[in-house]
Amino acid sequence: MIRRPRLRIPRIGLARPPIRRSIHHVPPLAHDFRNGVPGLLSPEGFDIAWTQYMTLMMEKLNALTAGTEYEQKEVKTIVLNTAREPAEAPIFNHASMAHNNHFFFKRLSPAPVAMPESLRSALEESFSSVETLRREFVVTASAMFGPGFVWLVKLGARDAPGQANPFRLLTTYLAGSPYPGAHWRRQPVDRNSVAAGTPAAGPLSGTGAGAGVSAKAAAPGGIDVTPVLCLNTWEHVWLRDYGLGVGGYGGKRQFVEEWWKAIDWEGVASDANITRPTYKR
């Protein structure tokens, strides 16, 4: 029997296409929470709220920005540059959600971190006591009808003259951003409580809607604020570990109570850049 030589043809299907490097990545956290955030999130809860969710946001953002001017820009810059452009709403939404979720997680600590006295004194100036601030967070988050974020922000000197360290609470819904550069002007009138046909005071503050508005550092009438602490109230963060609870949203309230015990107050103080008040003699 005569054996014929076998012709070996390279299998083209085995050749792998060049892998394109993703520009936006899930940012690293200061602490290893793969075993969960002690007292706050289980390993499964952390995996959903951080690993899976941030991976999805980065994949979506990379797909939406590929080949555009935003491809290599920082996430915060993308948020500010796309907030007022209706055509870029998908980019804004994914970038803002990624930024806000990261802000929430980067201020979590695996062990209790004492609040610096300088920060405590500054917060007491604005909220009378730290306990009052805690209650405000709990009540505000519990009352939010829909997912979003609750922020502790520091006001700029222009918006709080005479106060050394003015702090306020700010709520944003869905993917809304706390930064003045992403806002429209404030609307002083609740449009739900005025008669039909009443002229609007101006566009709503929020995620940006309306064409023809030039990008500025801050919207007309906007307040200069610096976010220093973020509470994420989206269901994917707390529902896995806390459930709905009694009355529908008891689980969220319990989550907020536990979150308060896991805050890295040293990081908050650093972001707040606390200054001592000056007194005239």
Side-chain angles (χ1 to χ4, degrees):
M1 181 177 180
I2 301 176
R3 294 183 178 181
R4 298 180 180 179
R6 298 177 62 183
L7 180 63
R8 293 185 178 181
I9 303 176
R11 298 176 63 182
I12 300 177
L14 294 178
R16 295 183 179 180
I19 299 175
R20 181 172 180 172
R21 182 175 66 88
S22 297
I23 302 300
H24 302 104
H25 301 272
V26 177
L29 295 173
H31 305 286
D32 184 0
F33 290 131
R34 285 176 295 181
N35 293 323
V37 182
L40 183 65
L41 295 174
S42 67
E44 296 79 12
F46 173 78
D47 181 62
I48 293 172
W50 174 255
T51 307
Q52 294 186 41
Y53 193 81
M54 291 297 288
T55 299
L56 176 63
M57 290 300 101
M58 292 298 102
E59 289 177 352
K60 292 286 189 179
L61 189 59
N62 281 325
L64 290 167
T65 60
T68 72
E69 60 180 303
Y70 305 118
E71 188 175 33
Q72 299 188 41
K73 292 185 181 295
E74 295 182 352
V75 173
K76 180 181 175 181
T77 301
I78 296 175
V79 171
L80 297 176
N81 289 352
T82 60
R84 304 179 202 172
E85 298 296 334
E88 295 172 341
I91 297 178
F92 168 84
N93 287 333
H94 288 90
S96 188
M97 278 301 302
H99 173 274
N100 295 354
N101 198 44
H102 180 216
F103 208 114
F104 166 72
F105 272 97
K106 76 176 184 178
R107 284 294 162 259
L108 297 181
S109 172
V113 177
M115 181 180 295
E117 284 302 317
S118 57
L119 176 61
R120 180 179 297 275
S121 298
L123 293 176
E124 288 175 347
E125 292 178 13
S126 297
F127 299 99
S128 75
S129 70
V130 174
E131 175 60 18
T132 300
L133 172 61
R134 186 193 69 81
R135 292 178 181 176
E136 287 293 324
F137 261 113
V138 173
V139 172
T140 302
S142 299
M144 291 180 71
F145 192 75
F149 300 86
V150 185
W151 305 82
L152 176 65
V153 298
K154 183 179 180 181
L155 274 62
R158 182 197 66 184
D159 296 299
Q163 291 183 264
N165 301 292
F167 291 90
R168 300 290 187 272
L169 286 191
L170 171 69
T171 57
T172 59
Y173 281 83
L174 300 177
S177 175
Y179 295 104
H183 290 176
W184 281 87
R185 72 179 65 204
R186 287 175 293 167
Q187 177 175 282
V189 178
D190 183 354
R191 302 306 301 169
N192 295 308
S193 62
V194 297
T198 304
L204 288 170
S205 172
T207 58
V213 179
S214 60
K216 296 181 180 180
I223 300 178
D224 179 21
V225 300
T226 300
V228 298
L229 181 63
C230 175
L231 167 61
N232 192 339
T233 69
W234 277 74
E235 288 86 349
H236 67 264
V237 178
W238 56 267
L239 192 59
R240 165 63 177 76
D241 289 332
Y242 295 88
L244 292 178
V246 179
Y249 287 95
K252 181 169 69 170
R253 184 184 184 95
Q254 182 184 356
F255 162 73
V256 178
E257 296 277 7
E258 298 303 324
W259 163 76
W260 184 262
K261 305 172 187 177
I263 297 173
D264 175 9
W265 290 110
E266 289 284 355
V268 176
S270 176
D271 283 350
N273 190 24
I274 299 298
T275 58
R276 294 183 178 180
T278 56
Y279 299 95
K280 295 182 179 180
R281 294 183 178 179

